[in-house]
Amino acid sequence: MYAIYSTIVGLGIGTMDSNGSIQPCIIIYCLDKHLVPYGEKELPKSIEGWNCDMREDYVIFGSCFDCRIITNPNPGCCIGLHEPPNGNGSVGFLVKENDSTPERAGFLTAAHVAADNWRDLYYSNSLLSTLDGFPFEYRIVHPLPPTQNVARVIGRVKELFCGNWGPEGTGIDAAFVENDEPRRGDIKKLQIADARNLRFDRSIKVFKRGGTTGETEGYLSDNSLSVCLDFTNGFYFFDRCYAVTSINSPFFEPGDSGSGVFLIENGVPTKPLGIAFAFHKRSQTTAVCRIDKIIDAFNLSVYQYEEESMET
């Protein structure tokens, strides 16, 4: 679809009003629903018998500048590349590499936050660790605002994938950053969300902590969202993502890329769901890549420190 229609920036599943009744539909996010570029056809009104609902929107990553400096950042802290261009994102889940000796621990963030050449890595369609020339030196800092010239290198990227992973082609924009200095304290392994138990009718709330918007809540609304980012040297799409819809205030803004999204159960954030990495600006729909696919690809476990609380 992205190759045939240059104005499409996302695909999803939802509902629309059809002759006075609410019907399931395919959502087509596009730059302009009336524009038909030269050499292209009109956007489809239906696909394989399913009506299409055109919604004008555009997609951007979330990255900005902000934060204070500590050696071991917490989920939601701002981090970024040491070398410019060093637009920042957020720390996501704390993770450990399974069966590693010595132990490797750190955190997840978005791949486009942790590597300035993420576009090249996207087209390689490979884990960073399998590429010729690995290990590459992507140094991650926990920065102060850009008005001050102080930043400390806190870790280095040990694994990364940017693209569509596995036989199903599930969108992943994630990087594992190993801490330079070990963090001490009692930890517990977190049980991740089971995709088989999820519903996408906005009956499930989710929580995230990001570097820009802080703690926000939203509704889980889709498990098949596709987003496409168009740059001058190509387009980059991510399929089969979770979608989160903002409730009252924006769930995600620039600077929040990489932040971890949790299920809310009994009013408390509990199970990791995925990494927020991009959003449709107008509809305030956030794309979240699945944590189960990420930890499987990277051979990681998600944990938190006993003193750390994600309660809102």
Side-chain angles (χ1 to χ4, degrees):
M1 291 287 286
Y2 297 126
I4 298 172
Y5 302 100
S6 62
T7 62
I8 292 181
V9 296
L11 298 166
I13 296 173
T15 58
M16 63 180 293
D17 188 323
S18 178
N19 298 320
S21 64
I22 302 300
Q23 299 292 333
C25 69
I26 296 172
I27 301 171
I28 296 180
Y29 298 99
C30 58
L31 298 174
D32 189 324
K33 59 186 177 183
H34 301 295
L35 176 66
V36 181
Y38 179 77
E40 297 184 16
K41 297 180 180 180
E42 291 185 4
L43 295 175
K45 294 181 173 56
S46 65
I47 298 175
E48 296 186 0
W50 297 97
N51 290 333
C52 295
D53 187 16
M54 311 300 172
R55 302 183 186 180
E56 293 181 346
D57 216 324
Y58 58 98
V59 183
I60 59 176
F61 283 143
S63 56
C64 77
F65 298 86
D66 188 22
C67 214
R68 54 193 174 82
I69 189 168
I70 55 175
T71 303
N72 297 123
N74 295 311
C77 282
C78 253
I79 46 92
L81 268 173
H82 181 261
E83 293 78 14
N86 52 359
N88 298 357
S90 296
V91 172
F93 303 112
L94 304 182
V95 292
K96 289 182 178 290
E97 193 174 70
N98 295 328
D99 307 318
S100 60
T101 305
E103 183 180 83
R104 287 183 173 180
F107 56 87
L108 291 174
T109 189
H112 74 266
V113 170
D116 56 355
N117 65 332
W118 65 266
R119 296 170 180 81
D120 298 329
L121 298 171
Y122 178 95
Y123 284 115
S124 75
N125 198 41
S126 301
L127 289 169
L128 181 70
S129 60
T130 66
L131 297 178
D132 292 339
F134 183 80
F136 303 99
E137 184 74 353
Y138 300 113
R139 296 183 295 172
I140 303 300
V141 298
H142 193 212
L144 292 171
T147 53
Q148 303 180 50
N149 296 316
V150 180
R152 178 182 297 174
V153 175
I154 58 166
R156 288 159 174 80
V157 176
K158 293 301 180 183
E159 191 59 278
L160 179 149
F161 186 83
C162 188
N164 295 287
W165 172 260
E168 296 178 350
T170 304
I172 291 180
D173 176 8
F176 166 44
V177 179
E178 182 183 5
N179 293 330
D180 279 355
E181 297 184 20
R183 177 173 173 176
R184 307 300 179 187
D186 296 328
I187 65 171
K188 66 175 181 179
K189 184 177 179 180
L190 295 182
Q191 178 185 352
I192 65 170
D194 188 339
R196 296 170 297 181
N197 298 330
L198 300 177
R199 301 183 305 279
F200 305 96
D201 54 2
R202 302 193 182 192
S203 61
I204 293 179
K205 280 187 176 183
V206 298
F207 165 93
K208 75 126 227 347
R209 180 182 291 158
T212 299
T213 55
E215 297 181 351
T216 58
E217 295 183 3
Y219 291 120
L220 186 61
S221 56
D222 196 355
N223 66 341
S224 58
L225 178 67
S226 176
V227 295
C228 181
L229 294 108
D230 188 8
F231 293 89
T232 55
N233 60 343
F235 64 90
Y236 309 86
F237 65 91
F238 300 85
D239 287 336
R240 295 176 175 83
C241 302
Y242 292 131
V244 174
T245 304
S246 300
I247 298 179
N248 296 317
S249 58
F251 181 77
F252 181 99
E253 289 283 359
D256 289 332
S257 273
S259 53
V261 180
F262 289 80
L263 291 182
I264 293 178
E265 297 175 313
N266 299 318
V268 178
T270 54
K271 299 182 180 69
L273 179 73
I275 295 290
F277 70 99
F279 68 120
H280 287 284
K281 180 65 175 177
R282 291 174 182 163
S283 64
Q284 287 294 308
T285 300
T286 301
V288 177
C289 47
R290 294 172 51 165
I291 189 61
D292 58 340
K293 301 298 183 182
I294 297 169
I295 63 173
D296 179 63
F298 293 2
N299 191 30
L300 301 173
S301 296
V302 184
Y303 69 97
Q304 71 178 28
Y305 285 90
E306 294 288 358
E307 73 273 14
E308 178 189 346
S309 173
M310 297 301 292
E311 293 187 16
T312 56

